[in-house]
């Protein structure tokens, strides 16, 4: 869901990302942060430096993986 959301919007703050990934549900920030850290480490997303709140953008690798996962559904 995170990759697909970022594919659609390209760049989002963690606040906006949380709202779009879990609409109508107050997200547990630490759970979302763990997921973001994992896909950040894998190179599927990048975090923009020097921006508050934390802002993430999709990479080419993330776009390809998101498309691959969408085909499996």
């Amino acid at each position: 869901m995170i990759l697909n959301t970022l594919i659609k919007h390209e760049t989002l703050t963690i606040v906006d990302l949380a709202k779009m990934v879990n609409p109508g549900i107050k997200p547990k920030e630490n759970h979302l942060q763990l997921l973001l850290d994992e896909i950040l480490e894998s190179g599927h997303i990048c975090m923009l430096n020097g921006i508050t709140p934390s802002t993430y953008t999709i990479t080419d690798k993330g776009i390809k993986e998101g498309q691959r996962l969408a085909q499996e559904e």
Side-chain angles (χ1 to χ4, degrees):
M1 290 176 65
I2 293 171
L3 291 178
N4 287 334
T5 301
L6 281 169
I7 287 170
K8 183 176 181 181
H9 297 280
E10 293 184 19
T11 302
L12 290 169
T13 67
I14 191 168
V15 175
D16 291 334
L17 188 56
K19 290 176 188 175
M20 292 180 186
V21 170
N22 296 313
I25 300 170
K26 184 176 180 180
K28 295 189 179 213
E29 188 175 320
N30 59 343
H31 181 77
L32 177 59
Q33 188 62 59
L34 288 172
L35 293 171
L36 288 169
D37 289 345
E38 184 177 319
I39 58 178
L40 182 65
E41 189 174 312
S42 70
H44 292 102
I45 63 172
C46 290
M47 187 168 80
L48 302 179
N49 293 324
I51 299 178
T52 303
S54 298
T55 303
Y56 298 88
T57 189
I58 191 85
T59 64
D60 289 339
K61 182 178 179 180
I63 292 169
K64 289 176 186 172
E65 181 64 7
Q67 292 170 339
R68 185 189 70 78
L69 291 170
Q71 289 177 353
E72 288 183 0
E73 292 179 353

